[in-house]
Amino acid sequence: MPALCAALLLVGCGGLRTAGTPLASTLEKSTCTPNADTLLVLLPGAYSHPDEFTREGFVKALNDNRLAVDMMLVDAHLGYYNNKTILDRLSKDVMAPARSNGYKSIWIAGISVGGFGGLLYAQTHPGELAGLVAIAPYLGERTLSLDIANAGGVARWTGPLGNAPGSDPRTPTETQLWQWLRGYVGTSATFGTRPPLYLGYGMDDRFAFSHGLLAAALPASRVFTTEGGHDWPEWMRLWRSMLPTLHLPGCPG
């Protein structure tokens, strides 16, 4: 993932926080039930802190929609992607304890690189997630998206098969991710072990070209757009629009 920092237009990889063990997280309990059996794992952007989900209103919006869902705010910053431990840490430090604590249904909602991480997790852990929300996700370098577009879209693109020489099996390449995303193409109500995928993005987002390619592979009811670019105001508008459509349990009564 050496190109990830440049692609995200960030300050630079030299400013990465240390990827500690275990992956730090904070549990926000549902306000309407003490025993929710559904967990929503929130993955932030590259340099964001998980408390921004609270500050910007993500947690409040979910409670305002009276959803019987606990939320896990995970400090999955760019350092974990840079050292290729993000998937292992999510599995060991978040998902395994959640299942041990009785959660029967686990969703991931991720923003920007967090959306990328959620997609990678769904790809490499088939059957584990009940649903996946990707808001303004990073989807690889633009040259890859151009290749897909020039092939006629994700439905027609095949791309190279197999691992590139020297690739790290702990984190799939962006090309392999797109090959997996091709499995969403079609009209079937189910996609094998792929969880329902909901995509949201701003029309002027710097990754909107890639988002449009993915949107074409998804049912229209699972694609949400808004005016604007790649920042919290757009992400909050998308989140508010998406929440009522997600198949999450409501509060009793």
Side-chain angles (χ1 to χ4, degrees):
M1 308 231 179
L4 190 55
C5 290
L8 292 172
L9 304 180
L10 297 174
V11 175
C13 285
L16 290 178
R17 287 190 282 146
T18 301
T21 304
L23 185 57
S25 59
T26 302
L27 180 65
E28 293 280 350
K29 296 286 290 183
S30 168
T31 57
C32 69
T33 178
N35 298 308
D37 62 6
T38 297
L39 180 68
L40 178 62
V41 176
L42 296 175
L43 302 182
Y47 283 117
S48 293
H49 289 260
D51 58 6
E52 292 179 51
F53 283 113
T54 302
R55 185 190 72 199
E56 300 293 338
F58 263 59
V59 173
K60 182 179 185 298
L62 190 140
N63 288 324
D64 287 346
N65 276 265
R66 290 188 51 76
L67 296 172
V69 176
D70 290 347
M71 291 156 280
M72 186 69 76
L73 284 57
V74 183
D75 194 15
H77 55 76
L78 191 59
Y80 292 96
Y81 296 85
N82 190 54
N83 69 7
K84 299 181 173 65
T85 61
I86 182 61
L87 301 180
D88 187 51
R89 296 269 52 96
L90 279 174
S91 180
K92 292 179 178 177
D93 302 336
V94 178
M95 303 301 180
R99 289 190 294 271
S100 296
N101 288 331
Y103 291 106
K104 298 178 181 178
S105 178
I106 301 176
W107 286 59
I108 287 180
I111 294 174
S112 192
V113 75
F116 179 61
L119 291 167
L120 289 179
Y121 193 88
Q123 177 192 356
T124 55
H125 295 77
E128 283 196 20
L129 298 181
L132 180 59
V133 179
I135 297 178
Y138 170 74
L139 293 171
E141 296 187 64
R142 187 174 176 84
T143 52
L144 175 57
S145 297
L146 287 171
D147 286 344
I148 295 170
N150 290 336
V154 66
R156 296 186 177 183
W157 173 83
T158 56
L161 300 176
N163 293 322
S167 63
D168 191 328
R170 294 175 296 172
T171 304
T173 66
E174 294 145 6
T175 299
Q176 290 168 322
L177 175 61
W178 274 105
Q179 289 168 336
W180 178 80
L181 288 170
R182 289 183 70 238
Y184 281 99
V185 175
T187 58
S188 173
T190 60
F191 301 95
T193 58
R194 291 170 177 80
L197 171 58
Y198 298 80
L199 172 67
Y201 62 97
M203 297 303 292
D204 296 320
D205 192 295
R206 59 179 175 269
F207 303 138
F209 182 77
S210 300
H211 298 153
L213 294 172
L214 177 55
L218 300 175
S221 61
R222 293 181 182 173
V223 177
F224 299 79
T225 60
T226 188
E227 295 180 353
H230 195 81
D231 207 349
W232 280 106
E234 292 83 1
W235 302 336
M236 269 305 305
R237 288 198 299 270
L238 291 165
W239 185 236
R240 292 191 187 102
S241 297
M242 298 169 89
L243 273 175
T245 73
L246 305 181
H247 293 290
L248 293 169
C251 294

